Each structure stands twice: as C-alpha cells, then as structure tokens.
Amino acid sequence: QDINGGNNSTPSEVANGRAKAWIHMNGTGTIAIKNSYNISSITDNGSGKYTATMSITMSDTRYCVVGGGAQGTLNDNVMGFYPNTTTAFKLQSNGSTGNFNSFEDASFMSAAVFGDLA
C-alpha cells in the first residue's frame, strides 16, 4: 500500500516485480552501508571495486542488478553492477579518465536487485 492505504500490491506482484534487495553505500575511505534492504555486508575489493552480500538467495545468477553513483563532483565515470553468485553481486566504478581498465572509489553507490528467489 502507499502511505494513504491505497494502491495495494498482490502477493504475486510483490514476488515477481519488486526489488529483492537494495543498497545505498559510501565507497570512499572506510566503506559503509548507509541504508539497505536484504544486504548483510559489503567488501572493499580495491579501488572502485566492491562486493555486496545479500541475506537472501536468488534462484540463479541471471538476476538483474541496476544502480548508479558518483565520484565526488565528477560526472564522467561509469558504474557497473553485475551478479556474482546467488548471494552476492559486484559493484564497480571505472576511472573518470575514460579508461575502462582503471577504477576509482565512488563517493556513493546505490543498486537494486530484481529476479527470482530460490
């Protein structure tokens, strides 16, 4: 329901179309989860590379991860989000120089997971 008690979702709609997990995180210095749903932890894998571990299990590794983020005031970076295992997904922030082989820590990143639960 929305905040006014209307627009109910059916159990099927919730199961099939709603985000199964999401995260908003700080990716610089000491990384930290700012807010999340069904995310148990995050790991810093080096400059601009992170792993989010979910407290749920997806049915397979073909689920969808979408998101965005920023590196300070730079607007020309590229964010990547992709499934890793049935319980974790990768987040990465490519360098602002346009070199897709370089990575830079992100000021913040947000991602949501869609797909079927196990």
Side-chain angles (χ1 to χ4, degrees):
Q1 294 180 344
D2 62 24
I3 61 172
N4 297 316
N7 300 310
N8 293 335
S9 295
T10 67
S12 178
E13 288 173 329
V14 172
N16 293 320
R18 305 298 189 254
K20 303 305 186 286
W22 57 264
I23 185 172
H24 180 67
M25 62 171 276
N26 168 30
T28 58
T30 302
I31 64 169
I33 296 173
K34 293 184 174 206
N35 205 345
S36 69
Y37 174 69
N38 281 333
I39 302 292
S40 57
S41 65
I42 53 175
T43 304
D44 189 339
N45 300 320
S47 293
K49 297 179 180 181
Y50 317 92
T51 300
T53 301
M54 299 180 284
S55 56
I56 56 172
T57 302
M58 302 303 288
S59 63
D60 56 43
T61 58
R62 295 183 304 248
Y63 53 91
C64 176
V65 183
V66 296
Q71 298 167 329
T73 59
L74 300 174
N75 296 316
D76 57 351
N77 58 308
V78 176
M79 302 288 171
F81 308 88
Y82 52 94
N84 184 41
T85 69
T86 57
T87 58
F89 60 94
K90 301 283 188 180
L91 305 93
Q92 70 182 39
S93 176
N94 291 90
S96 60
T97 62
N99 181 351
F100 292 110
N101 294 318
S102 68
F103 299 91
E104 294 178 14
D105 285 345
S107 300
F108 72 89
M109 295 182 91
S110 298
V113 174
F114 298 89
D116 295 327
L117 294 173

